[in-house]
Amino acid sequence: MNSFTFIRRSLWHYRRTALGVLLGTAVSTAVLTGALMVGDAVQGSLEQRVHERLGRVAFAISMGDTFATDALAEDLAKALNINTAALLTLPGSITLPDDSARANHISVHGVDRTFFALSPDGRQPDPLPHDGVALNSRLANHLGAHIGDSVIIRVDTPGTISRDLPVGTPDESATALRLKVSQILHPEAFGHFSLRAEQTLPMNAFIARDMLTEKLDAVGQANLILAANATSPALAADVAATHKADRTLTPKSVLNSATIKDALRS
């Protein structure tokens, strides 16, 4: 009996065992390959979501309920040679005039052209009119709102008395604005901008910052500074040292893009 005959007869004798091993190997290979492909797809999806939310933002300085002069953004831009944007970001709610649709816990952003310069594609949308508001696609779909529709936005303004306390009334700490939907911003136009570490898509309303600050009696003020084009690893220390010199500024946090990305992926 030669070697070829021995191997052939052995395979035939143990054919059931060999077939089981072969099928098990094929199934294991398929499972591992599928897991790798799904993992790559999930990673790509998370990367895309982070890109849509952060755009070109590398650092964010948040003052929370306190305000600082919006000139701080220009000072940072000049001192650190980076692109910056000053925002007035506040919580709020939005309703249609006939109360047929409503969204609570939305984010109202007072922005200007410098904000959209940090968007994922860097394109500038049409200027926001003083009587207009731009909704992101998720909020517009939730309300069923279209361009030209009127909406009523109530902006929660910071105050000394919490709205949750019985001694306060909602009207004392909220400003109502009746505006027309001028644009619907999609993700690439910064419609999904958010610094929150959450998986759900944000609901954003964007208003001209000069109009919003005028309505809130906060002209020339901001509570969020965004910075982009950070190429130096020591930029966080530079930002901290720069804003520390401003005694009127008490930032709640200085976040870099890596910290925000890790939080979104978790």
Side-chain angles (χ1 to χ4, degrees), residues 202-223:
M203 291 194 289
N204 293 330
F206 301 92
I207 302 175
R209 184 164 64 88
D210 54 353
M211 187 277 286
L212 182 60
T213 56
E214 181 181 351
K215 294 292 184 181
L216 301 180
D217 194 22
V219 175
Q221 295 181 321
N223 64 351

Side-chain angles (χ1 to χ4, degrees), residues 69-80 82 84-86 209 225:
T69 173
D70 57 7
L72 174 64
E74 298 180 3
D75 294 340
L76 285 173
K78 294 178 181 178
L80 304 177
I82 56 177
T84 61
R209 184 164 64 88
I225 305 295

Side-chain angles (χ1 to χ4, degrees), residues 95-98 133 145-152 178-181:
T95 61
L96 296 182
D98 58 1
V133 58
H146 302 87
I147 295 177
D149 291 349
S150 295
V151 294
I152 298 175
R178 188 183 181 98
L179 304 169
K180 287 187 177 182
V181 179

Side-chain angles (χ1 to χ4, degrees), residues 3 21 71 141 169 193-194 202 219 231 240 249 253 257 266:
S3 299
V21 172
N141 292 336
T169 62
F193 165 75
S194 178
V219 175
T231 57
L249 177 61
S253 60
S257 59
S266 63

Side-chain angles (χ1 to χ4, degrees), residues 31-48:
V31 170
L32 291 175
T33 303
L36 291 174
M37 294 177 63
V38 170
D40 289 342
V42 171
Q43 182 178 1
S45 177
L46 290 175
E47 290 286 350
Q48 179 64 25

